[in-house]
Amino acid sequence: MKAVVCRSPGELVLEDRPAPGAPPAGWALVAVSHVGICGTDYHIFEGKHPFLAYPRIMGHEVSGTVVETGEDVDLAVGEPVIINPYLACGKCIACRHGKPNCCVRIEVLGVHRDGAMAEQILVPAQNLYPANGLSLADAAAVEFLAIGAHAVRRARAEPGARTLVIGAGPIGLGAALFARIAGLDVSLLDMSTERLDFAKGELGFATLDGSQKAAAELVREATGGEGFDVVFDATGNTASVQSAFAHVAHGGTLVLVSVVKDDIVFSDPEFHKREMTLIGSRNALKVDFDHVAASIRNGAVPLAKLVTHRTTLTGTPRDLARWAHEKSGLIKAVIEVGA
């Protein structure tokens, strides 16, 4: 089969790879249809991912069609599916508590093991969700949106809560969209005027332009000095995460959606004075995938506006390398593998 392989940082090639073969019991062979390109993929290409062994087939935002099933699999051949890329052990403390998204021994397709920038992939059947009427193009967007949907669900905020999403990239936009679907009053903060113009003009969000004023001043102006009830940080930037504590109102909640490799330092007196709630949010659960899929079906998610760039498997080595540096106008890029 054809596969796009990141041999080493900066080296992305189209290769012939052995087909996966027949699926074992409990697994299914999937013909890949569409793959979203994530920030993680750009980081892998650029050599910025701290826990990755090369060479690697990337790709974890995936839709496809079941080609063959192993024993004890309740999926029909030809079934269009959404792939949950978080492969959990099923036995650790997190899995036993119903949280396979933070499994102690989690393996993410395209990161810890080879992913879906290829014509076929083997996946545990429990990680395959029927698309149930979604187009395969739309189904490939479910995973990245589920990250934001999971973060919003973790926040447990009441409808009407004054909410700030920091970072207007794909994950931040997903969090903002599902915060709005949950009835929260959402504003977006970013340093990119272009991204904020998109968020405001295309998606209808209130925006705070961090390129014009200090974030603390913008937050004071937007909230009358009180701060936001809920703050989501989706920047992946250490300085942004640390400053986000100060944007939270007394009694409010800070949700860390993105991950940074540095230690986070904050003022304990300020944290306690506000009786803040600090929440980490990692990956997503099936309930989040289901919520996203339903929201796409009912028209609450404007996917046609979010998917701005497309390529093919053959064109991926060229286009992914270019998009890693040419970000203008880019929200979400999708590889059409089997289309």
Side-chain angles (χ1 to χ4, degrees), residues 12 35-39 41-42 45-46 117 195 307-312 315-336:
L12 198 61
V35 184
I37 301 176
C38 174
D41 300 319
Y42 294 119
F45 170 72
E46 294 170 327
M117 291 188 188
R195 285 191 168 182
V307 178
T308 55
H309 292 54
R310 290 176 173 82
T311 188
T312 61
T316 295
R318 174 196 66 232
D319 291 332
L320 191 151
R322 178 163 53 88
W323 295 332
H325 305 288
E326 295 178 10
K327 300 293 189 184
S328 181
L330 175 63
I331 301 297
K332 173 57 65 174
V334 172
I335 304 166
E336 298 173 339

Side-chain angles (χ1 to χ4, degrees), residues 121-141:
I121 188 171
L122 284 172
V123 185
Q126 66 184 9
N127 287 70
L128 299 176
Y129 308 147
N132 288 336
L134 284 186
S135 72
L136 285 168
D138 288 353

Side-chain angles (χ1 to χ4, degrees), residues 8 58 107 124 157 167 214-215 227 235 309 339:
S8 61
M58 301 181 292
E107 290 188 298
T235 64
H309 292 54

